[in-house]
Structure formats: structure tokens, C-alpha cells
Amino acid sequence: MTQRASASDSSQWQRRYSGSKSSRSFPCLPRFAALALALALLVALAGCEQSAVQPPPAHPTPIATRGGKPAPATPTAAPAPPTSAALPAFADWRAAYLAGDGSVHVVTLDGKTNLSGPALPPFTINGLSLASAGASPDGHLLAYSSPSVVIANVVGAGRGASTRAVVAGAVADMAWSPDSRQLALSNGGGDLSLLPTPADARTPVPGTPIQDVDVLNLWGWLDASHLAIGTGAIVDGEESATAYVLSSLDITSGALRTIATISSPSLGSPRITLSSDGTRALFSNARIRDQPFTPIVDAIDTATGAVTPLPAIVRATSGSFGPEYTSTAWRPGTHQLAVSTGFLPNNDLKAWLLDVDRDTATPLLSGQYVAQWSPDGTTLVVSTANSAAVGLGPYDLSAVTFGPSGQPHVTLLTHDAMSFPFLGFVRTA
């Protein structure tokens, strides 16, 4: 089951039902409006190419003393892309990121070996959000959209060129299939399509767009033939702001099955986080400006649709705005998640380990957004940023492992992660 590093966004839901932009942003969640803006700016700025990456600072601040959010990099004229380097064969999972030199770097989880891989094409617009599926489940491919879908082959053999742009058009969200053979793409407004990795064009998913649905969230894959999607409940031909529906969509037949409906007169902005095998989901919500809001955290069995409220987790992780999860990551093979609450610039950023079976929340560390667990579930990558935006950085990436008593141990991986900020886990053998 593929899970994005950066979870889907509910910003469209916020705009639709709040009447204005939320005062608390959730940049890690669908980004249709920003991507639509990117398409317009591509025309306006056709002659003004700019680079997305900058060299790292001469004296980066150590992770232990790093305070506020790093300042955005100042764009410069786009240099020629660096020559792609062939990565050696390695079977262990390593962390991948876009470095300041414009190439993908992979670093061992002990931070001791850092290798340069394929170069990514320079971005032509800076400071805008971009969709990213991150690394494929087999660890061989990377995919992102800004605005064309770019697929990078970190293995360097067997599936085409090291990087290629394969399709144009706005993409608000994207997710790898469990077998790494295709991408599910969403424009955030109800259109879903599939892009097989050898293909150059996407094909519509049967049954979409769904009638009367204006805002659709793509949350990932439940299994090899079903997508997890979220919409407002349809009442009298209109999407409801007080009921959110998690559904299973068959990519072959277009059949739609309701998994669960979460209802509240003070629903706020919804979010779904899928387990790595697609069998469980976590529903959480966030406040929309000053609208009435009831914090909700529920566990959902995606096969039976059973919904289990988690009131102890709500109480433990709630701040003044409720349990606003600014990043989430499900631990493979378990019923545990790492989540972050708060924001680095607000000095209230904390990471937690949730156990949905026991309804418990254990503090992990402060000042870090959770990014993704390694496929074996032993290492959690954390970052000083929680959203993908062209040209911003550099950010820190660190690996968190746990001792016999559960005490977290933090190892700095890089000060030089740009734009994404984390691409996922890769391996070449």
C-alpha cells in the first residue's frame, strides 16, 4: 500500500465551506488552486526561467539549536542541469531528497553515506506548491508534478531514461499503486486518472467525475484495484459541509462503495491517513477559521466500515485549536501512527506516536514534522518542513530510531533538502 510523504490537503474543502481562506494553513494536504495558479504563471513567465534550488548555507545551524522556519531561498538564474550520476547497487532502504545541486541524493539512515543520483529538471516557477507521490513502493522511481508529471528512475536502468516529463495538466494529488506500475492522479475537483509508468498519457478512471461532487480528495490505494477517496455527503444534490464520506473506488469498473461517513454539525476540515496495507484509516479534522468546531479522531476499518472514536488521543494531542495534525505517517505493519501537531514558526511543533488499538498518544520529540516511516517500520524520517513548495529550503532531514525502552534517537541526515522536502525511501537492488 503506497502512502504519500506528504498527506492529501483539505484546503479546497476549507475554501468551499468557510467562504475565505483558513487562518491556519495545512500545506501538506490537495493543492488544486495553487497548481491552477502555476499553469497561469507558466504563460506569464515564459521567458523568466528560474532555478528551484540554491546552494546550502556556508554554516548551517545544527538541528539541536535550530529555531524558526528556515528562510526561503532567493531564486537565481537557472543553471544547466548537473550530469546524472549512476547510483551503485544497494539493497538497504535509504532516504532520498532533492539537494542544492539540483540532483537527487540518497543517504543511509545512519547518516554516514550520501550519494548523488539523477538530476531533476530545473523548475521554471518558484515558491508554488507541487504534488508529489514520492518514491514508488519498490524504491526505484520518483514522481512529482509541477505542472507536468515527472518520473525519475533512481535505478538508472530497466525502465527508461533517468528522468522524463510524461503528461501536462493540473495535478492536485498523486499516489503510487502498490505494485509501482502506475500512478493515480487527481485534479482535486472530481477528475481521477491513471498513468502507467511506461505511458505518456493518462486514462480516466471509470465512474469519474462523480455526479454532484465538486471537491474530491485522493487519499491513496486500498489495494491493487481500489482507490480511497473522500467527498462531502450528497444531500439534495449538494455536497454537505457536515458529513464526510470515505469511499472505495474500483479503478476497473468504476463501482463506488461507501466505507464510512463521519458526521458532525461542527465538522471542520477533514483528513484521512491510510495504513500502509490499506486495511485501516485514521480520520482527523481541523478548525476552519472561526467556525464552530468539534475535534474528532476516529479509527476506521476499511473492510467493514466500523468506526472507533479515539477520545483519549483527542484529549492528549489537542492544543488551543484542537488536534490539528500538520503531518502524519502510518507505521507499516502496525496500528500506530506518528503525527505532528503545531507549526515550527509558532514554537508549538510536537511529534507524537499514536496507538489506535489502545487509544494512546505518546510524546516523541519537539520541533520536527513527521515525514515517513521506513518500509520495515524501524526508522522514522522527520523534517523541519511539512510541505512541498518549489524553490524553498534548505531544510533538515533526520532519522529517528528507538531504543529498547522506546526512547527516540535522532540522527541528522542532511541540512540540504530542497522543495519537497523528503522524497521517500529508495533502493537500487
Side-chain angles (χ1 to χ4, degrees):
M1 173 62 217
T2 301
Q3 184 178 347
R4 285 179 46 207
S6 83
S8 226
D9 181 18
S10 300
S11 58
Q12 299 147 48
W13 180 277
Q14 293 175 1
R15 287 191 294 273
R16 179 177 176 84
Y17 297 114
S18 68
S20 58
K21 186 178 179 182
S22 170
S23 60
R24 302 273 292 182
S25 63
F26 295 87
C28 59
L29 301 172
R31 303 177 177 88
F32 180 59
L35 286 167
L37 175 62
L39 290 173
L41 289 178
L42 276 173
V43 176
L45 303 178
C48 303
E49 282 200 353
Q50 294 175 312
S51 171
V53 295
Q54 295 295 316
H59 301 286
T61 306
I63 187 171
T65 60
R66 198 159 185 141
K69 185 178 180 179
T74 301
T76 60
T83 303
S84 295
L87 290 170
F90 55 87
D92 56 310
W93 292 105
R94 302 186 184 186
Y97 64 94
L98 175 63
D101 63 5
S103 62
V104 174
H105 280 226
V106 295
V107 56
T108 54
L109 299 184
D110 60 7
K112 295 181 179 179
T113 302
N114 192 316
L115 302 174
S116 179
L120 298 187
F123 300 116
T124 55
I125 292 180
N126 288 271
L128 296 177
S129 297
L130 57 112
S132 174
S136 57
D138 62 9
H140 293 173
L141 302 173
L142 303 170
Y144 63 95
S145 175
S146 180
S148 295
V149 175
V150 175
I151 296 178
N153 184 353
V154 297
V155 177
R159 278 197 256 187
S162 59
T163 60
R164 64 190 184 106
V166 295
V167 63
V171 177
D173 223 341
M174 56 199 311
W176 283 106
S177 62
D179 62 6
S180 304
R181 294 185 178 276
Q182 60 184 334
L183 288 161
L185 307 174
S186 169
N187 71 350
D191 290 323
L192 290 171
S193 57
L194 299 174
L195 176 67
T197 52
D200 292 323
R202 50 187 172 185
T203 58
V205 174
T208 62
I210 301 170
Q211 185 176 0
D212 298 323
V213 168
D214 294 325
V215 178
L216 181 150
N217 301 126
L218 170 63
W219 298 113
W221 293 74
L222 296 167
D223 55 38
S225 57
H226 294 86
L227 298 174
I229 63 171
T231 63
I234 304 300
V235 180
D236 298 328
E238 297 287 338
E239 286 180 276
S240 170
T242 61
Y244 191 74
V245 181
L246 175 63
S247 300
S248 169
L249 178 64
D250 189 309
I251 63 172
T252 302
S253 68
L256 191 66
R257 174 179 68 89
T258 296
I259 296 173
T261 301
I262 307 297
S263 300
S264 171
S266 308
L267 186 63
S269 178
R271 177 181 190 145
I272 296 290
T273 304
L274 286 179
S275 64
S276 54
D277 61 4
T279 62
R280 291 289 188 97
L282 187 83
F283 176 92
S284 59
N285 62 346
R287 183 183 298 274
I288 299 177
R289 293 187 64 85
D290 297 326
Q291 294 184 8
F293 171 66
T294 301
I296 300 172
V297 181
D298 289 339
I300 302 172
D301 185 314
T302 60
T304 67
V307 177
T308 304
L310 302 171
I313 287 176
V314 171
R315 290 191 298 270
T317 59
S318 287
S320 57
F321 292 92
E324 297 189 3
Y325 296 157
T326 45
S327 60
T328 60
W330 202 294
R331 190 174 194 174
T334 74
H335 292 167
Q336 298 178 337
L337 298 90
V339 303
S340 294
T341 57
F343 295 87
L344 190 59
N346 296 348
N347 295 316
D348 62 354
L349 179 59
K350 297 179 181 178
W352 307 78
L353 183 65
L354 309 185
D355 189 315
V356 299
D357 288 342
R358 296 178 174 84
D359 189 15
T360 59
T362 304
L364 287 181
L365 66 164
S366 299
Q368 299 289 321
Y369 297 101
V370 302
Q372 190 177 349
W373 289 91
S374 60
D376 60 10
T378 61
T379 304
L380 173 67
V381 168
V382 296
S383 175
T384 52
N386 69 330
S387 63
V390 174
L392 300 190
Y395 305 119
D396 292 350
L397 290 179
S398 299
V400 183
T401 55
F402 300 87
S405 63
Q407 181 69 21
H409 302 279
V410 181
T411 300
L412 178 68
L413 300 180
T414 184
H415 287 299
D416 191 31
M418 301 295 300
S419 295
F420 288 95
F422 180 56
L423 286 169
F425 292 93
V426 302
R427 60 183 179 184
T428 58

